[in-house]
């Protein structure tokens, strides 16, 4: 069994090297959407205010698009022979079966998640697994991050692997027969709770769950009885075959808008705290509310004006238009229209 895990590990390493740029884009979008923009745009924001001072436009646009796209359609098994009573009865039965499978898989809620991941990352895998308790197939919406697949020339998935992470203690509780090897950690103290990467691996011959960091320890394995991969990939169209999400090209536009907003906030603070200009006849100056200042030229007592340049306002609007265009999220989606009626 070790040779199967070794070959699968070599395949995973090859796919990771092949999709380095894709994985980097996906991690960047994930960090921005989850509110960790400072980890992507390092050094752009000051340490005392590390977060953007604008709304997370990318997350808002992704959620809105997912809620609009991820609606469960009406599923029927209608055919051409609607006048044949026996065939119509059979089609009605198939329709009830199909809708039960969709209902038991909770596709009504999971399709929104699937649409969110497809818009954000450019593809989403749908995996079918046997539910032996209900005696029916179950459709899973897998995460697109750290997921790799290969297709043949007919568009059929011939290899599928998903990498996810769990703590060693959790895996030891789930698989007590492998607890000794799972907790083994030569680089750390005995009993430390290391985060391990697991690989859920499919090919035409077998299905495996193994841990590459533990010499390819196979936690579970069974033969693929259907000789095909029960996975379908929903993918956004692309010209060069490279998977891209809807927001890959607008991350830095969002960063520029956030940085300009930070500069505007700083300019406003400096304008409020600008130095005060006084005429020559004032020897003492009182600060605070209801302070009294005596001067023969009171009109000359003022703060030094520090106006925000007009070009900053124009640039802010331009960045907002570019962000909406790149994210395919027009103003009409928020009820804003510039056209006169």
């Amino acid at each position: 069994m070790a040779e199967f895990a070794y070959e699968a590990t070599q395949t995973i390493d090859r796919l990771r090297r092949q999709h380095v740029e894709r994985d980097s884009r996906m991690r960047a979008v994930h960090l921005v959407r989850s509110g960790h923009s400072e980890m992507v745009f390092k050094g752009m924001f000051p340490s005392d205010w590390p977060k953007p001072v604008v709304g997370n436009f990318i997350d808002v646009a992704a959620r809105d698009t997912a809620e609009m796209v991820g609606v469960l359609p009406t599923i029927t098994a209608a055919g051409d022979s609607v006048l044949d009573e026996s065939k119509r009865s059979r089609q009605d039965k198939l329709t009830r079966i199909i809708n039960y499978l969709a209902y038991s898989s909770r596709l009504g809620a999971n399709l929104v998640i699937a649409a969110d991941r497809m818009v954000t990352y450019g593809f989403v895998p749908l995996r079918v697994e046997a539910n032996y308790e209900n005696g029916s197939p179950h459709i899973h919406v897998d995460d697109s991050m750290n997921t790799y697949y290969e297709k043949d020339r007919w568009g059929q998935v011939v290899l599928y692997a998903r990498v996810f992470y769990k703590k060693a203690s959790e895996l030891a509780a789930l698989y007590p027969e492998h607890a000794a090897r799972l907790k083994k950690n030569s680089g750390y103290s005995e009993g430390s709770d290391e985060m391990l990467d697991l690989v859920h691996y499919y090919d035409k011959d077998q299905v495996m769950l193994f841990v590459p960091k533990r010499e390819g320890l196979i936690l579970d394995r069974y033969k693929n009885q259907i000789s095909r991969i029960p996975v379908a990939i929903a993918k956004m169209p692309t010209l060069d075959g490279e998977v891209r999400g809807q927001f890959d090209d607008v991350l830095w536009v969002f960063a520029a808008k956030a940085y300009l907003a930070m500069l505007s906030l700083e300019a406003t603070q400096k304008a409020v705290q600008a130095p005060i200009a006084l005429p020559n006849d004032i020897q003492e100056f009182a600060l605070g509310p209801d302070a009294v200042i005596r001067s023969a030229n009171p009109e000359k007592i003022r703060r030094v004006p520090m106006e925000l340049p007009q070009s900053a306002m124009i640039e802010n609007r331009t960045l907002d238009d570019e962000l909406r265009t790149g994210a395919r999220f027009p103003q009409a989606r928020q009820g804003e229209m510039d056209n006169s009626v």
Side-chain angles (χ1 to χ4, degrees), residues 123 149-160 231-235:
F123 78 98
Y149 62 91
E150 287 184 340
K151 293 184 177 181
D152 59 13
R153 59 177 178 162
W154 313 115
Q156 299 293 329
V157 179
V158 295
L159 186 144
Y160 177 77
V231 175
I233 305 295
K235 181 180 175 182

Side-chain angles (χ1 to χ4, degrees), residues 222-329:
Y222 60 90
K223 184 179 179 181
N224 188 357
Q225 300 290 343
I226 60 177
S227 299
R228 54 184 297 187
I229 313 300
V231 175
I233 305 295
K235 181 180 175 182
M236 295 182 67
T238 175
L239 291 176
D240 55 359
E242 183 70 18
V243 176
R244 293 183 179 87
Q246 187 166 307
F247 310 106
D248 291 353
D249 297 332
V250 298
L251 287 184
W252 287 98
V253 180
F254 170 73
K257 182 177 176 61
Y259 186 63
L260 183 60
M262 181 69 68
L263 293 178
S264 301
L265 182 64
E266 182 181 357
T268 303
Q269 180 183 6
K270 290 182 177 179
V272 173
Q273 299 176 352
I276 300 176
L278 301 173
N280 294 329
D281 60 337
I282 296 180
Q283 302 298 325
E284 296 182 359
F285 177 67
L287 289 174
D290 299 327
V292 177
I293 303 176
R294 299 182 182 276
S295 174
N297 303 295
E299 69 279 359
K300 295 182 179 180
I301 303 175
R302 61 184 177 86
R303 288 191 179 272
V304 178
M306 299 181 63
E307 298 180 359
L308 188 67
Q310 189 69 21
S311 59
M313 306 298 295
I314 299 176
E315 183 64 23
N316 182 64
R317 181 173 297 181
T318 302
L319 288 174
D320 188 66
D321 293 340
E322 292 293 335
L323 189 60
R324 291 180 178 276
T325 301
R328 299 167 63 188
F329 191 77

Side-chain angles (χ1 to χ4, degrees), residues 117-131:
R117 290 172 177 169
M118 186 175 69
V119 168
T120 303
Y121 302 122
F123 78 98
V124 60
L126 302 174
R127 178 173 53 88
V128 181
E129 184 181 1
N131 187 337

Side-chain angles (χ1 to χ4, degrees), residues 18 22 66-67 97 177 205-206 238 293 328:
Q18 182 178 345
R22 185 207 74 173
E67 292 169 358
I97 293 175
E177 65 275 15
D205 299 320
Q206 61 187 338
T238 175
I293 303 176
R328 299 167 63 188

